């Protein structure tokens, strides 16, 4: 089993946003940092905003921020929101498998998915934030007066 790239990127966006919680972040910077497609990332961010994990601030000086504190953002909830979890055909809407009426695989897979999410539900976004990750992803804000050479 593997998570889709959409979910992988979603978790990366949340980590980046949490690390840089002192300012609004933008999709371009996140895409550049992780060396991933900006257009793909825009779809991921839209989903995270719709799911209530991120807030998007529009306009000049806009960007993204977490919708809640990192300790309140549950990893299981994020993955549930982003991941389709249709592991086998019979779990989807287009099931045409001949043995579905007598097959026990769906129940077994459903149990595995429940165990997977039970484990993820034990963790929050805060659990993904550590000093080495902070050192890699933190982008300090530079006051405008320092950029112009007029620092006090």
């Amino acid at each position: 089993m593997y998570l889709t790239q959409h979910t992988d990127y979603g978790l990366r966006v949340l980590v980046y946003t949490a690390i840089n919680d002192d300012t609004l972040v933008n999709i371009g910077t996140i895409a550049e940092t992780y060396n991933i497609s900006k257009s793909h990332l825009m779809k991921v961010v839209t989903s995270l905003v719709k799911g209530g994990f991120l807030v998007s601030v529009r306009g000049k000086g806009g960007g993204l921020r977490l919708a809640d504190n990192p300790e309140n953002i549950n990893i299981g909830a994020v993955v549930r929101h982003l991941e389709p979890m249709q592991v086998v055909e019979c779990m989807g809407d287009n099931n045409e498998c001949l043995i579905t009426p007598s097959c026990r695989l769906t129940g077994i897979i459903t149990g595995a998915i429940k165990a997977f999410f039970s484990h993820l539900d034990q963790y929050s976004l805060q659990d993904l934030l550590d000093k080495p990750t902070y050192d890699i992803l933190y982008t300090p804000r530079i006051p405008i007066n320092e950029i112009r050479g007029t620092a006090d």
Side-chain angles (χ1 to χ4, degrees), residues 88-102:
V88 290
E89 178 184 330
C90 58
M91 297 177 84
D93 295 334
N94 297 321
N95 178 21
E96 295 183 16
C97 180
L98 177 67
I99 63 171
T100 297
S102 62

Side-chain angles (χ1 to χ4, degrees), residues 16-32:
Y16 185 92
T17 306
I19 294 285
N20 291 281
D21 67 348
D22 61 338
T23 186
L24 294 173
V25 298
N26 67 62
I27 295 171
T29 303
I30 299 169
E32 185 178 310

Side-chain angles (χ1 to χ4, degrees), residues 17 26 29 33 41 43 51-53 56 60 62 71 79 82 92-93 114 117 122 125-126 128 136-137:
T17 306
N26 67 62
T29 303
T33 299
L41 205 57
K43 295 174 189 170
F53 301 105
S56 176
K60 187 176 180 180
E71 59 272 9
V79 174
L82 297 174
D93 295 334
K114 284 181 182 177
F117 280 115
Q122 297 174 46
L125 180 57
Q126 184 65 46
L128 304 180
I136 293 167
L137 296 179

Side-chain angles (χ1 to χ4, degrees), residues 126-139:
Q126 184 65 46
D127 294 314
L128 304 180
L129 311 177
D130 59 10
K131 179 77 169 113
T133 304
Y134 180 90
D135 290 343
I136 293 167
L137 296 179
Y138 181 69
T139 308

